[in-house]
Amino acid sequence: MILKFILSTFLISFISAQSRANMTESGQVNKMIFDSVASSPAFISRTQLAMYFAQILYETNGLSINQAMPCSRLGSRSACSDYIAKRVNNTGAYCGCTDYRGRGRLMVEDADTYKSVSNALFNNDILFEHPDHVQKYPQVAWATAAWNWATNVGALIGSSDAFGLTTKFLRPNDCYSNTETSDESSTAFNIYQQVLSIFDPDRVANPAGCVPNRK
């Protein structure tokens, strides 16, 4: 209950007005998600738990979205054009193929990932066959987020407190080098600093791996 109050207070002060309608969902699942995720071996510190929630807040624009727009995560117009071209047949008609865009509270995307998470969570291909379920159902959105972190991000960073490594894995186009990155990585790191101040107030946030611009 105390944790739920702390998280809700933080989110209300941080998330913009347009996303506050989602607070009901957030309040209902915060305690459940925290308990289940915190007990996972993927999380070995409050610092890494803060990384997890910070990336969720960034990926979902403060819990206001549950899916990425087509092409929004491809990083360039040429990449987007290539994506669209693959979805149009040689007559110029829209191909109607399954859209494996990023979905969930920690966006999972591409066909292979949808198949992997579906088999891990449900022992079948339900999310591969119906990827929109990740967007439609809050429980699935949160479950895929925990899976993505434990299976991919957590496995990558190990015991490191380098927040930039998580950004580099989730959004590599935000990390141009170790010394010069995008404004997006700065925004994500700023969110992390605020979350960390609640989860582990004595810890100094470490941006290593994808160092934000210092303007």
Side-chain angles (χ1 to χ4, degrees), residues 33 52 105 117 121-122 137-148:
I33 295 301
Y52 173 73
R105 287 316 192 189
V117 67
L121 297 179
F122 302 107
Y137 303 109
Q139 300 93 329
V140 179
W142 284 103
T144 56
W147 174 89
N148 192 19

Side-chain angles (χ1 to χ4, degrees), residues 10-32:
F10 164 73
L11 289 170
I12 290 172
S13 65
F14 179 78
I15 298 172
S16 63
Q18 67 179 10
S19 65
R20 289 182 184 174
N22 295 278
M23 288 305 299
T24 299
E25 175 198 340
S26 176
Q28 290 172 345
V29 300
N30 270 338
K31 182 63 167 63
M32 176 186 71

